[in-house]
Amino acid sequence: MSFKVPFGDVKLRYESLRKQIEESVQRVLPSGYYILGPELERFEKRFADFLGADFSVGCASGTEAIYLAMKAAGVGPGDEVIVVAHTAVPTISAISMTGAEPVFVDIDPSTYVMDATKVEAAITAKTKAIIPVHIYGQVVDLDPLLALGRARGIPVIEDVAQATGATYKGKIAGTMGDFGAFSFYPSKNLGAFGDGGAVCTNSEEGYRKLLMLRNYGQSKRYHHDEIGINSRLDELQAAILDAQLPYVHEWNVRRREIARRFTAGLKDVVVTPAESSFGTHVYHLYVIQTQDRDALQQYLLDKGIQTLIHYPIPAHLQKAYAYRGYKRGDLPVTEQVTQRILSLPMFPELTDSQVDFVIQEIVKYHALNPQHVFVPTPGITTPLAK
Ligand SMILES: Cc1ncc(COP(=O)(O)O)c(C=O)c1O
């Protein structure tokens, strides 16, 4: 199906950088190096510089980036990991892959990220990591979590899959916890043309462990010091990512511009995203809340506008996690938000006229259905930061 305004279109990114991407591919294919070669080494160095981190280690996906970070932090069977249920389920899959169990805490109703005030009460003797997820492109309030982690000796692993380039108090997301885990899924703010991920850290010991863990646990060929896996970012993807890295900031600026335009046009009819005052939101997703989400989504679809829901079923209510014994009502904010959220089209190549068309149709829908107007109430949103 073709849309007047699709939710995303990664092919446009390829077209805008066709020359650089094809040069990268042409450099790698005849080189004879396809795995753990010079392209990966260069990208890892440049990505670490981009973040302001000491090290970055490429791997095969964002899911495995979280898994590898947890393994490097010593998380294993029987341990507990504190996390939100309002995330992409792969965050939780990664926890399960280590043999540990997710312990869910609720989210902040205005920014949708982990409610840092809920974490301390969830800590037990088994807690071996806290995973703040910077959902939609906005950073969790990290300082209280980092202080808690430090005081209790619990590693903090940032899930930065949706927030490449976002900042918190002047630092780039992913660099403040013990590890930061990134996804390069094609539609991410920095996306490969295939799967990919990376972990960053400022710990040399952590870095050495990650290098082993992603490569069968080898310290050198046929010497296995850790129980590792195969999770490597291949040379082609590393070269393609490296070619795109210089554009990430300008793409994020464009995402913020689009977000501002949406917010200015929609703030009187729906709840628009709140930006916390301590960081820069990079709008991997632009998510509104509405009174009658499903009807609005269908109306927009009829007009040729594609929207999605991130996420319709929170992790604690997924069938796969039923064994954990959570029930409806355990995470009231997460569950309420889940009913009302709608992600509008968001990608840097979106034109102003496409954005205006989306705004116009959402405003029109509410003129036809005034009972569904759902404006922010004090305390639910905070003003849009500069
Ligand atoms: C918040 C979050 N965590 C983890 C992942 C997993 O990343 P990947 O799809 O690269 O495995 C994703 C992406 O889907 C995500 O959005």
Side-chain angles (χ1 to χ4, degrees):
M1 181 169 179
S2 83
F3 297 96
K4 273 195 192 140
V5 189
F7 186 75
D9 190 345
V10 287
K11 206 157 43 50
L12 291 176
R13 199 178 74 229
Y14 167 65
E15 281 161 12
S16 76
L17 288 184
R18 182 190 284 262
K19 186 168 163 285
Q20 293 91 320
I21 289 168
E22 291 188 350
E23 270 171 18
S24 306
V25 172
Q26 290 309 324
R27 189 171 66 242
V28 174
L29 290 183
S31 76
Y33 280 103
Y34 307 117
I35 301 282
L36 296 183
E39 298 288 343
L40 178 62
E41 224 171 86
R42 181 167 52 234
F43 173 67
E44 286 176 337
K45 167 99 190 47
R46 287 200 188 153
F47 189 57
D49 289 348
F50 165 90
L51 297 171
D54 289 347
F55 308 101
S56 93
V57 175
C59 64
S61 69
T63 308
E64 289 180 350
I66 302 166
Y67 166 82
L68 292 167
M70 276 189 292
K71 290 300 283 184
V75 176
D79 294 340
E80 290 178 355
V81 176
I82 299 175
V83 68
V84 286
H86 186 63
T87 181
V89 169
T91 310
I92 316 304
S93 317
I95 297 170
S96 303
M97 284 157 64
T98 66
E101 297 295 351
V103 172
F104 296 111
V105 293
D106 217 339
I107 56 171
D108 180 281
S110 60
T111 55
Y112 313 126
V113 296
M114 177 179 262
D115 181 346
T117 66
K118 297 271 164 47
V119 173
E120 188 158 18
I123 294 177
T124 73
K126 293 183 179 172
T127 307
K128 288 291 153 50
I130 302 168
I131 304 189
V133 182
H134 305 319
I135 202 83
Y136 304 156
Q138 173 140 263
V139 182
V140 178
D141 188 8
L142 283 172
D143 277 348
L145 292 180
L146 296 172
L148 198 57
R150 230 172 282 128
R152 307 286 193 99
I154 302 170
V156 174
I157 296 166
E158 298 174 62
D159 178 343
V160 205
Q162 298 192 4
T164 302
T167 64
Y168 176 78
K169 299 185 179 173
K171 290 190 178 163
I172 303 225
T175 61
M176 289 156 278
D178 296 81
F179 297 94
F182 294 80
S183 164
F184 301 131
Y185 183 81
S187 60
K188 295 293 199 262
N189 290 36
L190 171 61
F193 288 81
D195 271 315
V199 187
C200 74
T201 184
N202 294 323
S203 149
E204 177 141 20
E205 189 195 343
Y207 169 63
R208 301 268 157 234
K209 268 201 187 153
L210 289 166
L211 290 178
M212 287 190 269
L213 287 166
R214 69 145 178 216
N215 190 32
Y216 320 129
Q218 289 185 135
S219 52
K220 57 183 178 186
R221 192 171 254 192
Y222 306 131
H223 292 254
H224 300 262
D225 297 4
E226 299 275 343
I227 300 174
I229 59 169
N230 171 1
S231 181
R232 299 173 301 224
L233 182 66
D234 68 60
E235 288 288 280
L236 264 180
Q237 297 304 340
I240 290 172
L241 286 162
D242 195 54
Q244 296 180 84
L245 193 53
Y247 301 93
V248 174
H249 279 313
E250 73 189 60
W251 289 332
N252 283 345
V253 166
R254 175 63 188 149
R255 283 175 184 271
R256 286 175 58 75
E257 237 173 57
I258 293 168
R260 261 172 224 283
R261 200 172 183 95
F262 270 138
T263 297
L266 295 174
K267 64 182 182 344
D268 296 332
V269 290
V270 297
V271 177
T272 53
E275 288 191 13
S276 56
S277 54
F278 44 64
T280 315
H281 193 323
V282 291
Y283 289 98
H284 174 59
L285 295 169
Y286 185 92
V287 178
I288 58 169
Q289 279 193 66
T290 76
Q291 197 74 293
D292 192 356
R293 186 262 317 278
D294 296 345
L296 175 62
Q297 185 174 37
Q298 186 58 50
Y299 174 89
L300 293 174
L301 188 62
D302 293 342
K303 303 290 176 189
I305 298 166
Q306 187 185 23
T307 60
L308 294 173
I309 299 163
H310 297 89
Y311 294 90
I313 308 172
H316 70 299
L317 300 179
Q318 293 283 353
K319 199 163 142 192
Y321 288 95
Y323 79 93
R324 292 287 293 141
Y326 286 94
K327 53 185 188 325
R328 204 167 282 282
D330 285 344
L331 301 173
V333 180
T334 295
E335 290 163 31
Q336 188 185 65
V337 157
T338 296
Q339 313 276 315
R340 294 177 172 168
I341 45 176
L342 188 65
S343 308
L344 303 185
M346 171 55 87
F347 51 98
E349 297 82 5
L350 211 54
T351 64
D352 285 352
S353 61
Q354 284 176 307
V355 174
D356 291 345
F357 176 61
V358 177
I359 294 170
Q360 174 199 308
E361 287 304 330
I362 295 176
V363 170
K364 217 189 268 174
Y365 172 85
H366 288 91
L368 294 170
N369 301 279
Q371 75 280 15
H372 293 160
V373 170
F374 189 44
V375 289
T377 51
I380 298 246
T381 59
T382 53
L384 200 66
K386 276 252 178 321

